[in-house]
Amino acid sequence: MERVDCDTAHQYELFATLPPLGGSQYPGRKAAKSDADDKCSEEFIAFLDAYSGPETLRASHLAPDEEEWYADESVQCYLKDIDGSSLYGSALDDAPNYQRHEYP
């Protein structure tokens, strides 16, 4: 995914970087996506508890593929607009009490 400045129109905003899903064996793409979805959904609920902006966001994620799994890649959680409209600025500015997770 290409990184862009929040001052320009963008489709996604990284709001959390979570630790690798773990496990000694790659569980398959479907299970990895499901695990990443569960983790990012939990994080999205924490974000929404602190968020005071418009209620037009939903969570998305990038789950690790098999190669990334064995490299212990983190799970990246993103915000996006429900109807696919562009985002402007940072939604994190509207959630000052949100404790953002930034796993290395």
Side-chain angles (χ1 to χ4, degrees):
M1 190 172 293
E2 180 183 344
R3 177 178 257 172
V4 297
D5 189 282
C6 284
D7 291 335
T8 62
H10 51 282
Q11 296 298 310
Y12 298 93
E13 178 176 346
L14 181 67
F15 78 100
T17 305
L18 305 178
L21 296 172
S24 60
Q25 295 294 317
Y26 182 66
R29 187 74 177 148
K30 186 175 181 179
K33 287 179 83 167
S34 178
D35 287 351
D37 185 57
D38 290 346
K39 299 282 187 208
C40 287
S41 293
E42 289 174 20
E43 194 63 27
F44 184 59
I45 291 168
F47 169 81
L48 288 178
D49 285 344
Y51 182 66
S52 62
E55 296 180 16
T56 60
L57 298 176
R58 71 178 181 137
S60 186
H61 58 77
L62 285 179
D65 61 21
E66 186 169 6
E67 183 177 323
E68 293 165 335
W69 179 276
Y70 289 116
D72 285 331
E73 291 289 327
S74 59
V75 174
Q76 297 175 348
C77 305
Y78 293 89
L79 300 170
K80 67 184 208 175
D81 191 86
I82 290 172
D83 66 8
S85 297
S86 292
L87 302 172
Y88 296 90
S90 175
L92 292 171
D93 291 343
D94 293 326
N97 295 322
Y98 170 64
Q99 297 294 318
R100 184 176 183 180
H101 290 92
E102 294 188 63
Y103 185 82

XYZ file of all heavy atoms in Angstrom:
819
model
N 0.846 -1.161 0.000
C 0.000 0.000 0.000
C 0.904 1.239 0.000
O 1.862 1.305 0.761
C -0.906 -0.024 1.235
C -1.976 1.027 1.194
S -3.202 0.870 2.515
C -4.014 -0.644 2.094
N 0.569 2.196 -0.828
C 1.372 3.414 -0.952
C 1.060 4.384 0.195
O -0.102 4.605 0.537
C 1.068 4.090 -2.287
C 1.837 5.360 -2.520
C 1.450 6.041 -3.821
O 0.815 5.401 -4.683
O 1.773 7.223 -3.953
N 2.090 4.947 0.763
C 1.937 5.922 1.847
C 1.695 7.302 1.243
O 2.394 7.723 0.331
C 3.194 5.941 2.703
C 3.135 6.980 3.799
C 4.359 6.938 4.647
N 3.969 6.261 5.866
C 4.787 5.891 6.815
N 6.071 6.086 6.689
N 4.340 5.300 7.897
N 0.664 7.997 1.750
C 0.365 9.363 1.314
C 0.195 10.254 2.537
O -0.127 9.772 3.631
C -0.898 9.442 0.426
C -0.727 8.667 -0.862
C -2.127 8.966 1.168
N 0.363 11.533 2.351
C 0.180 12.507 3.417
C -1.305 12.631 3.732
O -2.139 12.637 2.825
C 0.753 13.859 2.972
C 0.791 14.845 4.104
O -0.270 15.417 4.435
O 1.878 15.034 4.680
N -1.641 12.766 4.998
C -3.048 12.869 5.408
C -3.712 14.152 4.903
O -4.935 14.245 4.891
C -3.173 12.782 6.919
S -2.994 11.115 7.566
N -2.921 15.144 4.487
C -3.495 16.382 3.967
C -4.044 16.217 2.556
O -4.773 17.068 2.071
C -2.457 17.512 3.986
C -2.128 17.947 5.411
O -2.976 17.756 6.309
O -1.024 18.485 5.617
N -3.691 15.123 1.897
C -4.226 14.850 0.567
C -5.303 13.777 0.686
O -5.383 13.059 1.677
C -3.116 14.364 -0.392
O -2.582 13.135 0.110
C -1.991 15.383 -0.517
N -6.136 13.686 -0.336
C -7.200 12.674 -0.328
C -6.575 11.281 -0.256
O -5.576 11.007 -0.914
C -8.053 12.806 -1.578
N -7.170 10.428 0.572
C -6.681 9.057 0.700
C -7.844 8.123 1.011
O -8.893 8.564 1.476
C -5.584 8.959 1.772
C -5.934 9.556 3.095
N -5.903 10.907 3.346
C -6.326 8.983 4.250
C -6.261 11.146 4.596
N -6.536 9.985 5.169
N -7.653 6.856 0.722
C -8.713 5.860 0.921
C -8.605 5.147 2.263
O -9.607 4.671 2.795
C -8.688 4.824 -0.197
C -8.986 5.405 -1.564
C -10.374 6.011 -1.633
O -11.356 5.392 -1.259
N -10.448 7.240 -2.106
N -7.403 5.064 2.804
C -7.168 4.334 4.050
C -6.294 5.157 4.978
O -5.457 5.933 4.527
C -6.441 3.003 3.783
C -7.215 2.049 2.922
C -7.044 2.019 1.547
C -8.115 1.156 3.493
C -7.760 1.141 0.750
C -8.835 0.266 2.705
C -8.653 0.267 1.334
O -9.359 -0.606 0.561
N -6.473 4.934 6.278
C -5.598 5.532 7.275
C -5.169 4.452 8.255
O -6.015 3.786 8.869
C -6.317 6.653 8.037
C -5.448 7.268 9.106
C -6.089 8.443 9.813
O -7.103 8.973 9.335
O -5.564 8.816 10.877
N -3.877 4.280 8.396
C -3.347 3.323 9.361
C -3.652 3.841 10.764
O -3.292 4.955 11.107
C -1.838 3.176 9.167
C -1.128 2.200 10.092
C -1.563 0.770 9.807
C 0.378 2.337 9.931
N -4.366 3.034 11.562
C -4.665 3.489 12.914
C -4.070 2.598 13.986
O -4.008 2.981 15.152
C -6.169 3.692 13.131
C -6.981 2.439 13.358
C -7.343 2.057 14.641
C -7.393 1.666 12.301
C -8.106 0.917 14.860
C -8.168 0.532 12.495
C -8.518 0.154 13.788
N -3.582 1.427 13.621
C -2.935 0.561 14.608
C -2.040 -0.444 13.892
O -2.368 -0.918 12.802
C -3.964 -0.179 15.452
N -0.929 -0.736 14.517
C -0.027 -1.788 14.052
C 0.108 -2.763 15.210
O 0.642 -2.412 16.258
C 1.345 -1.207 13.662
O 1.141 -0.168 12.702
C 2.235 -2.272 13.062
N -0.419 -3.957 15.033
C -0.509 -4.940 16.107
C 0.572 -6.008 15.978
O 1.096 -6.248 14.888
C -1.894 -5.589 16.094
C -3.072 -4.612 16.167
C -4.384 -5.382 16.095
C -3.016 -3.766 17.418
N 0.890 -6.674 17.080
C 1.914 -7.732 17.040
C 1.529 -8.849 16.063
O 0.358 -9.022 15.727
C 1.928 -8.266 18.474
C 1.316 -7.209 19.302
C 0.345 -6.488 18.418
N 2.519 -9.604 15.616
C 2.238 -10.749 14.741
C 1.204 -11.681 15.382
O 1.084 -11.749 16.607
C 3.594 -11.447 14.607
C 4.601 -10.395 14.920
C 3.947 -9.487 15.923
N 0.467 -12.380 14.537
C -0.590 -13.261 15.036
C -0.036 -14.457 15.795
O -0.693 -14.995 16.660
C -1.479 -13.715 13.878
C -2.238 -12.580 13.186
C -2.932 -13.101 11.937
C -3.235 -11.947 14.138
N 1.153 -14.877 15.452
C 1.798 -15.958 16.203
C 1.408 -17.339 15.727
O 0.581 -17.514 14.852
N 2.031 -18.306 16.346
C 1.822 -19.698 15.966
C 3.005 -20.188 15.161
O 3.607 -19.430 14.404
N 3.323 -21.438 15.321
C 4.500 -21.976 14.644
C 4.210 -22.358 13.195
O 5.114 -22.439 12.386
C 5.043 -23.181 15.406
O 4.050 -24.194 15.484
N 2.954 -22.599 12.857
C 2.584 -22.990 11.498
C 1.594 -21.989 10.919
O 0.653 -21.568 11.587
C 1.950 -24.382 11.495
C 2.887 -25.492 11.914
C 4.015 -25.672 10.923
O 3.816 -25.650 9.711
N 5.228 -25.840 11.430
N 1.808 -21.619 9.674
C 0.875 -20.735 8.973
C -0.474 -21.436 8.867
O -0.553 -22.573 8.389
C 1.432 -20.407 7.587
C 0.563 -19.465 6.787
C 0.371 -18.157 7.204
C -0.031 -19.877 5.602
C -0.410 -17.281 6.464
C -0.814 -19.009 4.850
C -0.997 -17.707 5.287
O -1.774 -16.840 4.557
N -1.557 -20.785 9.317
C -2.856 -21.457 9.353
C -3.616 -21.433 8.030
O -4.721 -21.960 7.948
C -3.620 -20.645 10.401
C -3.066 -19.273 10.253
C -1.600 -19.477 9.941
N -3.048 -20.806 7.010
C -3.753 -20.630 5.747
C -4.288 -19.213 5.645
O -4.490 -18.530 6.648
N -4.496 -18.768 4.421
C -4.900 -17.374 4.180
C -6.227 -17.036 4.854
O -6.366 -15.981 5.466
C -4.972 -17.121 2.664
C -5.200 -15.697 2.294
C -3.940 -14.905 2.508
N -4.150 -13.530 2.076
C -3.563 -12.506 2.645
N -2.730 -12.686 3.637
N -3.778 -11.305 2.222
N -7.196 -17.913 4.750
C -8.522 -17.642 5.309
C -8.455 -17.477 6.827
O -9.029 -16.541 7.384
C -9.488 -18.767 4.930
C -10.910 -18.508 5.344
C -11.840 -19.608 4.836
C -13.265 -19.337 5.230
N -14.181 -20.361 4.738
N -7.754 -18.361 7.514
C -7.643 -18.289 8.975
C -6.828 -17.069 9.394
O -7.164 -16.396 10.374
C -7.015 -19.563 9.527
N -5.758 -16.754 8.657
C -4.945 -15.576 8.983
C -5.766 -14.304 8.827
O -5.706 -13.405 9.669
C -3.698 -15.526 8.101
N -6.558 -14.230 7.755
C -7.421 -13.060 7.546
C -8.467 -12.955 8.651
O -8.757 -11.865 9.137
C -8.096 -13.134 6.179
C -7.149 -12.869 5.030
C -7.848 -12.962 3.702
C -8.522 -11.635 3.441
N -8.983 -11.459 2.076
N -9.028 -14.087 9.054
C -10.028 -14.090 10.115
C -9.429 -13.623 11.443
O -10.031 -12.811 12.158
C -10.623 -15.494 10.264
O -11.563 -15.527 11.312
N -8.234 -14.120 11.767
C -7.556 -13.701 12.999
C -7.240 -12.209 12.971
O -7.441 -11.501 13.953
C -6.264 -14.488 13.209
C -6.506 -15.928 13.625
O -7.668 -16.280 13.920
O -5.537 -16.710 13.643
N -6.735 -11.719 11.833
C -6.423 -10.293 11.700
C -7.691 -9.458 11.810
O -7.695 -8.401 12.449
C -5.714 -10.031 10.375
N -8.779 -9.940 11.219
C -10.055 -9.233 11.302
C -10.521 -9.126 12.754
O -10.964 -8.060 13.199
C -11.105 -9.933 10.446
C -12.412 -9.179 10.395
O -12.398 -7.998 9.989
O -13.451 -9.760 10.777
N -10.409 -10.213 13.497
C -10.804 -10.201 14.913
C -9.980 -9.194 15.708
O -10.524 -8.405 16.481
C -10.631 -11.585 15.539
C -11.634 -12.605 15.030
O -12.640 -12.211 14.388
O -11.407 -13.810 15.269
N -8.661 -9.202 15.505
C -7.773 -8.289 16.245
C -8.062 -6.830 15.892
O -8.132 -5.976 16.765
C -6.305 -8.609 15.957
C -5.885 -9.988 16.356
C -5.664 -10.083 17.831
C -5.071 -11.438 18.165
N -5.362 -11.904 19.460
N -8.220 -6.543 14.597
C -8.473 -5.164 14.183
C -9.876 -4.708 14.587
O -10.071 -3.530 14.886
C -8.254 -5.008 12.680
S -6.502 -5.037 12.223
N -10.823 -5.619 14.619
C -12.172 -5.258 15.079
C -12.153 -4.856 16.549
O -12.797 -3.877 16.937
C -13.147 -6.416 14.869
O -13.346 -6.640 13.494
N -11.406 -5.591 17.361
C -11.260 -5.231 18.777
C -10.607 -3.862 18.918
O -11.032 -3.038 19.725
C -10.410 -6.273 19.510
C -11.071 -7.607 19.709
C -10.127 -8.638 20.300
O -9.097 -8.255 20.902
O -10.407 -9.838 20.161
N -9.589 -3.619 18.117
C -8.884 -2.339 18.167
C -9.779 -1.209 17.671
O -9.738 -0.090 18.192
C -7.602 -2.419 17.338
C -6.654 -1.294 17.591
C -6.122 -1.246 19.011
O -6.046 -2.284 19.694
O -5.777 -0.135 19.453
N -10.609 -1.482 16.681
C -11.536 -0.482 16.146
C -12.550 -0.071 17.206
O -12.895 1.105 17.320
C -12.229 -1.034 14.900
C -13.131 -0.052 14.207
C -12.632 1.153 13.733
C -14.460 -0.347 14.002
C -13.465 2.056 13.068
C -15.302 0.537 13.342
C -14.801 1.742 12.871
N -13.018 -1.017 18.002
C -13.951 -0.690 19.092
C -13.284 0.265 20.081
O -13.889 1.249 20.509
C -14.452 -1.971 19.786
C -15.372 -2.744 18.837
C -15.165 -1.647 21.099
C -15.699 -4.152 19.287
N -12.024 0.010 20.416
C -11.284 0.907 21.315
C -11.128 2.288 20.679
O -11.264 3.311 21.358
C -9.922 0.317 21.651
N -10.865 2.324 19.374
C -10.754 3.598 18.666
C -12.088 4.354 18.731
O -12.121 5.550 19.032
C -10.329 3.369 17.211
C -10.438 4.594 16.358
C -9.449 5.563 16.385
C -11.533 4.784 15.532
C -9.561 6.713 15.606
C -11.657 5.913 14.749
C -10.671 6.877 14.792
N -13.186 3.667 18.426
C -14.497 4.320 18.409
C -14.882 4.875 19.772
O -15.568 5.904 19.851
C -15.580 3.356 17.918
C -15.551 3.025 16.436
C -16.656 2.023 16.110
C -15.680 4.273 15.581
N -14.451 4.225 20.849
C -14.742 4.732 22.191
C -14.144 6.115 22.416
O -14.653 6.891 23.219
C -14.221 3.764 23.263
C -15.084 2.525 23.396
O -16.231 2.523 22.898
O -14.611 1.545 23.996
N -13.065 6.434 21.705
C -12.390 7.718 21.866
C -12.691 8.692 20.720
O -12.312 9.853 20.784
C -10.884 7.496 21.945
N -13.382 8.238 19.704
C -13.583 9.010 18.471
C -14.798 9.918 18.570
O -15.875 9.485 18.978
C -13.738 8.039 17.303
C -13.903 8.659 15.951
C -12.871 9.396 15.376
C -15.071 8.489 15.234
C -13.018 9.950 14.117
C -15.220 9.029 13.969
C -14.197 9.769 13.416
O -14.337 10.315 12.165
N -14.634 11.179 18.150
C -15.747 12.121 18.191
C -16.094 12.663 16.808
O -16.888 13.590 16.691
C -15.406 13.290 19.128
O -14.273 13.995 18.647
N -15.527 12.098 15.770
C -15.793 12.555 14.408
C -17.048 11.918 13.833
O -17.801 11.231 14.529
N -17.286 12.133 12.529
C -18.474 11.562 11.878
C -18.451 10.031 11.894
O -17.391 9.424 11.829
C -18.409 12.110 10.456
C -17.023 12.615 10.275
C -16.453 12.894 11.623
N -19.617 9.450 11.978
C -19.737 7.991 12.075
C -19.790 7.348 10.696
O -20.746 6.666 10.350
C -20.965 7.627 12.903
C -20.856 8.108 14.333
C -22.071 7.748 15.171
O -22.859 6.873 14.761
O -22.213 8.355 16.233
N -18.744 7.573 9.921
C -18.710 7.044 8.558
C -17.505 6.139 8.327
O -17.188 5.818 7.188
C -18.655 8.197 7.537
O -17.476 8.964 7.776
C -19.880 9.078 7.640
N -16.856 5.712 9.390
C -15.652 4.902 9.249
C -15.920 3.438 9.554
O -16.820 3.101 10.318
C -14.563 5.409 10.208
C -14.081 6.822 10.002
C -13.081 7.200 11.091
C -13.461 6.994 8.627
N -15.115 2.601 8.963
C -15.093 1.184 9.311
C -13.645 0.720 9.284
O -12.769 1.394 8.751
C -15.974 0.351 8.406
C -15.485 0.188 7.011
C -16.436 -0.713 6.232
N -15.948 -0.900 4.886
C -15.945 -2.051 4.265
N -16.414 -3.128 4.846
N -15.490 -2.148 3.043
N -13.404 -0.426 9.859
C -12.045 -0.962 9.944
C -11.764 -1.899 8.779
O -12.661 -2.557 8.255
C -11.852 -1.701 11.260
N -10.509 -1.944 8.411
C -10.004 -2.865 7.412
C -8.629 -3.313 7.904
O -8.148 -2.819 8.924
C -9.909 -2.160 6.055
O -9.540 -3.066 5.038
N -7.996 -4.237 7.213
C -6.687 -4.701 7.673
C -5.905 -5.332 6.546
O -6.448 -5.657 5.488
C -6.838 -5.730 8.797
C -7.637 -6.923 8.395
N -7.132 -7.924 7.609
C -8.915 -7.265 8.635
C -8.064 -8.834 7.392
N -9.161 -8.456 8.005
N -4.623 -5.470 6.793
C -3.758 -6.274 5.939
C -3.279 -7.435 6.780
O -2.590 -7.240 7.781
C -2.564 -5.462 5.442
C -2.842 -4.452 4.344
C -1.559 -3.707 3.973
C -3.423 -5.122 3.116
N -3.686 -8.618 6.413
C -3.269 -9.824 7.127
C -1.999 -10.365 6.476
O -1.809 -10.230 5.271
C -4.372 -10.880 7.067
N -1.134 -10.970 7.266
C 0.103 -11.506 6.702
C -0.153 -12.717 5.801
O -0.991 -13.558 6.105
C 0.910 -11.905 7.937
C -0.105 -12.126 9.007
C -1.229 -11.183 8.707
N 0.580 -12.748 4.686
C 0.551 -13.949 3.864
C 1.543 -14.948 4.474
O 2.129 -14.671 5.528
C 0.870 -13.640 2.399
C 2.253 -13.053 2.181
O 3.141 -13.215 3.046
O 2.446 -12.427 1.132
N 1.737 -16.079 3.835
C 2.572 -17.123 4.443
C 4.010 -16.646 4.673
O 4.586 -16.872 5.739
C 2.571 -18.383 3.580
C 3.296 -19.542 4.231
C 3.080 -20.861 3.503
O 2.458 -20.867 2.427
O 3.545 -21.884 4.036
N 4.575 -15.972 3.696
C 5.952 -15.483 3.839
C 6.058 -14.464 4.982
O 6.986 -14.509 5.790
C 6.405 -14.842 2.531
C 7.834 -14.360 2.545
C 8.242 -13.787 1.189
O 7.817 -14.321 0.144
O 8.986 -12.803 1.206
N 5.101 -13.560 5.061
C 5.101 -12.548 6.124
C 4.863 -13.186 7.495
O 5.399 -12.730 8.502
C 4.033 -11.488 5.838
C 4.335 -10.658 4.610
C 3.144 -9.865 4.125
O 1.984 -10.254 4.384
O 3.367 -8.854 3.449
N 4.055 -14.240 7.521
C 3.779 -14.948 8.772
C 5.073 -15.448 9.400
O 5.339 -15.227 10.572
C 2.840 -16.123 8.502
C 2.497 -16.950 9.701
C 3.226 -17.975 10.235
C 1.354 -16.813 10.531
N 2.595 -18.500 11.331
C 1.444 -17.809 11.532
C 0.245 -15.979 10.517
C 0.481 -17.974 12.513
C -0.724 -16.139 11.491
C -0.601 -17.126 12.478
N 5.884 -16.114 8.587
C 7.130 -16.675 9.099
C 8.186 -15.602 9.366
O 9.148 -15.839 10.089
C 7.661 -17.756 8.157
C 6.796 -19.003 8.208
C 6.098 -19.427 7.095
C 6.659 -19.722 9.393
C 5.287 -20.567 7.154
C 5.856 -20.850 9.459
C 5.169 -21.269 8.331
O 4.362 -22.385 8.405
N 7.991 -14.412 8.819
C 8.892 -13.290 9.099
C 8.389 -12.466 10.287
O 8.943 -11.420 10.589
C 9.024 -12.411 7.861
N 7.337 -12.957 10.953
C 6.739 -12.272 12.106
C 6.314 -10.843 11.791
O 6.547 -9.914 12.568
C 7.685 -12.276 13.316
C 7.738 -13.636 13.986
O 6.730 -14.370 13.914
O 8.770 -13.963 14.582
N 5.655 -10.669 10.636
C 5.160 -9.349 10.256
C 3.964 -8.962 11.126
O 3.163 -9.804 11.528
C 4.733 -9.335 8.785
C 5.884 -9.461 7.823
C 6.754 -8.219 7.762
O 6.238 -7.099 7.920
O 7.966 -8.381 7.548
N 3.838 -7.688 11.382
C 2.742 -7.172 12.195
C 1.435 -7.169 11.399
O 1.430 -7.320 10.174
C 3.065 -5.756 12.656
O 3.257 -4.920 11.535
N 0.338 -6.989 12.120
C -0.985 -6.833 11.509
C -1.251 -5.336 11.425
O -1.131 -4.624 12.422
C -2.080 -7.518 12.352
C -3.450 -7.229 11.779
C -1.824 -9.015 12.426
N -1.600 -4.849 10.246
C -1.871 -3.433 10.058
C -3.368 -3.212 9.960
O -4.046 -3.821 9.133
C -1.169 -2.920 8.803
C 0.328 -3.034 8.908
C 1.032 -2.654 7.635
O 0.431 -2.497 6.589
N 2.337 -2.493 7.730
N -3.868 -2.322 10.827
C -5.291 -2.012 10.875
C -5.529 -0.622 10.286
O -4.839 0.333 10.648
C -5.799 -2.036 12.309
S -5.485 -3.583 13.186
N -6.503 -0.531 9.407
C -6.788 0.706 8.693
C -8.217 1.166 8.924
O -9.112 0.355 9.165
C -6.593 0.496 7.183
C -5.163 0.248 6.800
C -4.644 -1.033 6.779
C -4.320 1.309 6.490
C -3.317 -1.265 6.441
C -2.994 1.090 6.157
C -2.502 -0.190 6.134
O -1.192 -0.421 5.814
N -8.405 2.466 8.780
C -9.735 3.060 8.744
C -10.057 3.369 7.295
O -9.165 3.713 6.515
C -9.755 4.375 9.535
C -9.392 4.283 11.000
C -9.223 5.687 11.580
C -10.453 3.507 11.761
N -11.313 3.254 6.926
C -11.763 3.682 5.615
C -13.204 4.130 5.721
O -13.914 3.785 6.675
C -11.571 2.605 4.562
C -12.414 1.372 4.713
C -12.024 0.373 3.649
C -13.138 -0.537 3.280
N -12.801 -1.424 2.182
N -13.640 4.923 4.759
C -15.006 5.420 4.752
C -15.961 4.306 4.347
O -15.636 3.494 3.465
C -15.128 6.602 3.784
C -16.449 7.316 3.943
O -16.536 8.195 4.808
O -17.397 6.962 3.207
N -17.118 4.260 4.988
C -18.097 3.202 4.724
C -18.482 3.135 3.247
O -18.586 2.057 2.671
C -19.363 3.393 5.594
C -19.032 3.114 7.054
C -20.507 2.518 5.124
C -20.146 3.462 8.018
N -18.681 4.300 2.612
C -19.129 4.290 1.216
C -17.986 4.441 0.206
O -18.230 4.612 -0.980
C -20.205 5.348 0.981
C -19.702 6.771 1.131
O -18.482 6.982 1.273
O -20.538 7.695 1.094
N -16.745 4.373 0.685
C -15.596 4.443 -0.213
C -15.144 5.851 -0.552
O -14.255 6.033 -1.377
N -15.744 6.857 0.068
C -15.321 8.235 -0.171
C -13.906 8.447 0.345
O -13.449 7.743 1.242
C -16.265 9.217 0.542
O -17.563 9.129 0.023
N -13.252 9.441 -0.217
C -11.898 9.763 0.228
C -11.911 10.339 1.628
O -12.869 10.987 2.048
C -11.270 10.780 -0.721
O -11.037 10.200 -1.976
N -10.831 10.089 2.352
C -10.619 10.670 3.666
C -9.703 11.876 3.507
O -8.838 11.896 2.633
C -9.972 9.648 4.597
C -10.716 8.337 4.821
C -9.838 7.373 5.614
C -12.024 8.583 5.537
N -9.898 12.864 4.359
C -9.054 14.056 4.370
C -8.634 14.320 5.807
O -9.460 14.220 6.714
C -9.815 15.272 3.823
C -10.195 15.122 2.375
C -11.404 14.545 2.008
C -9.328 15.535 1.367
C -11.749 14.392 0.673
C -9.667 15.382 0.026
C -10.884 14.826 -0.304
O -11.222 14.661 -1.628
N -7.377 14.634 6.017
C -6.893 14.815 7.377
C -6.744 13.466 8.052
O -6.809 12.415 7.419
N -6.566 13.495 9.356
C -6.399 12.264 10.119
C -7.555 12.067 11.085
O -7.841 12.946 11.897
C -5.080 12.309 10.903
O -4.985 11.172 11.734
N -8.194 10.908 11.015
C -9.272 10.588 11.957
C -8.729 10.484 13.381
O -9.465 10.688 14.348
C -9.963 9.292 11.554
N -7.447 10.192 13.508
C -6.838 10.100 14.840
C -6.897 11.437 15.573
O -6.910 11.472 16.810
C -5.401 9.601 14.737
C -5.256 8.149 14.274
C -3.797 7.826 13.985
C -5.826 7.195 15.293
N -6.954 12.540 14.823
C -7.090 13.857 15.458
C -8.415 13.981 16.208
O -8.524 14.762 17.156
C -6.992 14.979 14.421
C -5.596 15.105 13.831
O -4.633 14.573 14.424
O -5.473 15.745 12.761
N -9.426 13.216 15.775
C -10.739 13.239 16.426
C -10.874 12.173 17.506
O -11.975 11.905 17.988
C -11.847 13.040 15.383
C -11.964 14.209 14.421
O -11.726 15.355 14.856
O -12.272 13.975 13.238
N -9.755 11.560 17.877
C -9.741 10.538 18.930
C -8.536 10.771 19.835
O -7.652 9.914 19.958
C -9.702 9.146 18.311
N -8.482 11.940 20.487
C -7.283 12.288 21.253
C -6.969 11.342 22.412
O -5.814 11.240 22.831
C -7.575 13.701 21.749
C -9.060 13.822 21.722
C -9.511 12.962 20.584
N -7.953 10.635 22.930
C -7.719 9.728 24.057
C -7.467 8.283 23.631
O -7.314 7.405 24.475
C -8.880 9.783 25.039
C -9.002 11.144 25.685
O -7.997 11.777 25.987
N -10.219 11.617 25.866
N -7.433 8.047 22.330
C -7.172 6.704 21.826
C -5.698 6.367 22.022
O -4.822 7.136 21.659
C -7.550 6.615 20.345
C -7.111 5.346 19.669
C -7.613 4.113 20.067
C -6.187 5.370 18.632
C -7.203 2.945 19.447
C -5.778 4.206 18.006
C -6.280 3.003 18.419
O -5.877 1.844 17.803
N -5.432 5.226 22.613
C -4.067 4.757 22.830
C -3.647 3.925 21.621
O -3.909 2.722 21.561
C -3.986 3.920 24.116
C -4.324 4.693 25.371
C -3.303 5.785 25.653
O -2.105 5.581 25.520
N -3.774 6.949 26.036
N -3.027 4.569 20.658
C -2.650 3.928 19.404
C -1.573 2.868 19.634
O -0.578 3.122 20.304
C -2.141 4.978 18.428
C -1.811 4.415 17.084
C -1.407 5.517 16.147
N -1.164 4.976 14.831
C -0.794 5.713 13.803
N -0.667 7.000 13.914
N -0.600 5.137 12.631
N -1.769 1.695 19.053
C -0.776 0.623 19.122
C 0.126 0.721 17.895
O -0.352 0.720 16.766
C -1.459 -0.746 19.166
C -2.157 -0.992 20.453
N -3.474 -0.689 20.645
C -1.711 -1.474 21.621
C -3.816 -1.000 21.875
N -2.763 -1.466 22.495
N 1.425 0.787 18.155
C 2.386 0.877 17.063
C 3.477 -0.155 17.296
O 4.563 0.149 17.769
C 2.982 2.268 16.976
C 1.956 3.312 16.588
C 2.569 4.663 16.322
O 3.372 4.768 15.367
O 2.271 5.586 17.064
N 3.141 -1.399 16.988
C 4.127 -2.481 17.093
C 5.212 -2.229 16.050
O 4.902 -1.857 14.925
C 3.448 -3.823 16.872
C 4.348 -4.997 17.070
C 4.590 -5.478 18.345
C 4.979 -5.607 15.997
C 5.437 -6.562 18.538
C 5.825 -6.691 16.197
C 6.049 -7.166 17.472
O 6.887 -8.223 17.663
N 6.452 -2.439 16.414
C 7.540 -2.134 15.448
C 7.422 -2.822 14.126
O 6.921 -3.757 13.851
C 8.806 -2.597 16.164
C 8.432 -2.940 17.546
C 6.947 -2.965 17.639
